[in-house]
Amino acid sequence: MTKQEWKNKTVVKEFILLGFGNGPELDSLLFLMFLSIYIVTITGNFFIIVLVVANRHLHTPMYFFLGNLACLEICYSSNILPRMLLSYLGGDRSISVNGCFTQYYFFGCLAAAECYLLAVMSYDRYLAVCKPLHYPSRMNGKLCLQLGAASWISGFLANSILTFLISNLDFCGPNEIDCFFCDSFPMIKLSGSDSHVAGLVTSVVAGVCSLPLFLLTFSSYLYIIITVMRIPSATGRKKAFSTCSSHLIVVILFYWSILTVYVLPHHDTQISPNKVFSVFYTILTPLVNPLIYSLRNKEVKEALQKQ
């Protein structure tokens, strides 16, 4: 683009997040629904953190990772839902370009970190169930800290290159993002410059960060289920299988929605379905994780009774 052509372009100063539609009645309904979800999400995850920290019986590798997951889910939800709630409450759906890139950066970092953390948690459960004699020596305190730190650091590093590529695209209008938060493909679609590389790199990085980790997580739970099925006691087998299957369902739902949005081929007709899929890993997963991973556990119930 020549210097004169650049001067004739109007650089976008803000984006408009279209969300799920317009109208006072719909906005009120969505506000109440997402406010309730946000309150339950924050309360549930914060409760898990407090319980794990306060109860010494929960100072184990499993609950260390669960505490990390709860902290991540609080950050995850707080990065998206408060801004969305304000838009439904006041009707102002605009967000500055810098604010949009910042939201996308932290969203991508936290989503990638969750992929790593879920894989670590599945490996921890694999060792505990399938290799119980080796578990205390392998999953020691030092390794727990290293795996937890690696999950957070890897997640933040993974999205840095994507944010850099997208932020260096030219945005000269239109400025309406067909999503309820600042996401990569809806933003790339608005760019007036060649965005092929940014879109390709986004799909590749998303695939590298999610697909191998999903296979690792799925394989771990598959081995766990096979081991559980060999338990002689029908009651113990049923209880263990119920816990593992619920974990696996949440993992599949989380990864399925991410892979559908970021890795599969994209067309204009997919934008609306992708918006629905995005709800699963941005809003519903942080809501159900405290229930699935913690509140159903026997140790947590016993810790609650002692409080």
Side-chain angles (χ1 to χ4, degrees):
M1 183 182 296
T2 65
K3 187 175 182 179
Q4 184 60 39
E5 289 175 330
W6 175 254
K7 289 181 179 179
N8 293 333
K9 296 284 186 179
T10 302
V11 180
V12 169
K13 300 296 184 183
E14 64 181 19
F15 291 117
I16 306 297
L17 297 173
L18 297 181
F20 296 97
N22 295 299
E25 294 183 358
L26 180 60
D27 285 355
S28 299
L29 178 63
L30 291 173
F31 173 79
L32 292 175
M33 181 179 70
F34 288 123
L35 177 62
S36 301
I37 290 175
Y38 184 58
I39 292 174
V40 173
T41 299
I42 297 300
T43 303
N45 284 287
F46 183 75
F47 172 76
I48 295 301
I49 294 173
V50 172
L51 192 64
V52 170
V53 172
N55 195 300
R56 63 183 181 85
H57 296 291
L58 300 182
H59 292 178
T60 62
M62 174 182 174
Y63 290 100
F64 170 77
F65 294 129
L66 285 173
N68 274 265
L69 181 65
C71 181
L72 188 148
E73 301 294 23
I74 290 175
C75 298
Y76 201 32
S77 297
S78 298
N79 183 51
I80 294 175
L81 282 173
R83 178 64 190 80
M84 186 166 62
L85 290 172
L86 287 175
S87 69
Y88 287 127
L89 183 63
D92 182 12
R93 304 194 178 189
S94 63
I95 182 172
S96 68
V97 172
N98 289 336
C100 198
F101 290 144
T102 300
Q103 185 187 58
Y104 168 69
Y105 173 72
F106 283 105
F107 154 73
C109 292
L110 293 168
E114 181 159 357
C115 291
Y116 286 104
L117 193 55
L118 289 175
V120 168
M121 291 170 63
S122 69
Y123 176 68
D124 171 72
R125 291 298 84 204
Y126 163 76
L127 287 180
V129 176
C130 302
K131 308 287 184 180
L133 297 179
H134 301 283
Y135 181 74
S137 60
R138 290 190 181 183
M139 194 58 68
N140 51 55
K142 181 179 179 181
L143 181 60
C144 288
L145 290 174
Q146 291 174 340
L147 290 175
S151 298
W152 285 88
I153 294 173
S154 299
F156 275 79
L157 290 177
N159 198 48
S160 297
I161 185 173
L162 299 183
T163 306
F164 175 78
L165 288 174
I166 296 174
S167 63
N168 279 278
L169 296 175
D170 297 331
F171 296 94
C172 306
N175 67 336
E176 293 182 340
I177 297 178
D178 188 21
C179 196
F180 55 91
F181 69 103
C182 295
D183 201 2
S184 55
F185 283 115
M187 285 194 293
I188 290 173
K189 184 183 176 185
L190 299 180
S191 173
S193 56
D194 185 4
S195 58
H196 176 73
V197 173
L200 180 61
V201 173
T202 299
S203 293
V204 170
V205 172
V208 169
C209 288
S210 59
L211 190 55
L213 294 174
F214 167 70
L215 294 176
L216 174 62
T217 305
F218 182 81
S219 300
S220 297
Y221 280 115
L222 186 60
Y223 277 110
I224 291 172
I225 291 175
I226 292 174
T227 303
V228 165
M229 295 303 293
R230 296 172 180 169
I231 296 176
S233 170
T235 303
R237 185 168 60 246
K238 180 179 179 181
K239 182 178 180 180
F241 182 78
S242 174
T243 301
C244 292
S245 61
S246 62
H247 290 189
L248 189 57
I249 289 172
V250 174
V251 166
I252 291 176
L253 183 63
F254 175 76
Y255 279 105
W256 168 70
S257 56
I258 284 183
L259 292 172
T260 300
V261 172
Y262 296 104
V263 180
L264 295 182
H266 287 76
H267 305 285
D268 291 342
T269 55
Q270 284 188 312
I271 295 299
S272 293
N274 282 355
K275 192 190 303 184
V276 176
F277 290 138
S278 298
V279 174
F280 287 104
Y281 60 83
T282 58
I283 297 176
L284 296 184
T285 300
L287 175 68
V288 301
N289 272 345
L291 175 63
I292 296 298
Y293 282 102
S294 300
L295 299 182
R296 294 180 60 188
N297 290 352
K298 179 182 178 181
E299 293 87 350
V300 172
K301 293 178 180 179
E302 291 177 352
L304 285 174
Q305 293 175 354
K306 294 177 181 179
Q307 296 297 320

